[in-house]
Amino acid sequence: KSILIRTGKLFSFKTKQSLIISNLGAVKEDFASDGIENLTFNLNVSKKVPLNIGVISYGGQTVISFTRKVKDTLFEQEFNKLLQADDITPTVIGNGR
């Protein structure tokens, strides 16, 4: 198996990976007592992987953060449409870029 994968990589000059999603999971720490209101889990982007998604749950809420190298926001817009179609109203916070 490993030999076949390595052989295939020899003929592939560009990565086939488009994004990474990582789930830190449920955080059981009581951050509210420390005055912390929000947590995010951000992943670094690169030339080969221009979009990453981090997921963290705490205090009864789930935060999904998108980090991207590209300017296009279509992925996030479509993701929010899927949530809204399931009667989930997301709160969107951005950095204005």
Side-chain angles (χ1 to χ4, degrees), residues 1-73:
K1 171 182 157 186
S2 297
I3 292 172
L4 291 174
I5 291 172
R6 279 187 252 147
T7 304
K9 286 184 179 182
L10 290 175
F11 297 102
S12 177
F13 299 105
K14 291 185 179 181
T15 182
K16 303 296 184 228
Q17 190 170 357
S18 57
L19 69 88
I20 295 173
I21 181 167
S22 291
N23 183 2
L24 191 59
V27 176
K28 299 188 185 332
E29 187 72 32
D30 182 18
F31 291 100
S33 64
D34 295 332
I36 297 172
E37 297 176 9
N38 297 304
L39 290 177
T40 59
F41 177 44
N42 296 320
L43 301 171
N44 191 29
V45 293
S46 68
K47 189 175 186 179
K48 291 183 177 183
V49 185
L51 174 65
N52 287 326
I53 302 169
V55 181
I56 185 171
S57 299
Y58 69 96
Q61 63 181 319
T62 299
V63 177
I64 303 171
S65 62
F66 298 90
T67 51
R68 58 187 159 81
K69 187 174 179 165
V70 296
K71 292 182 181 180
D72 189 347
T73 61

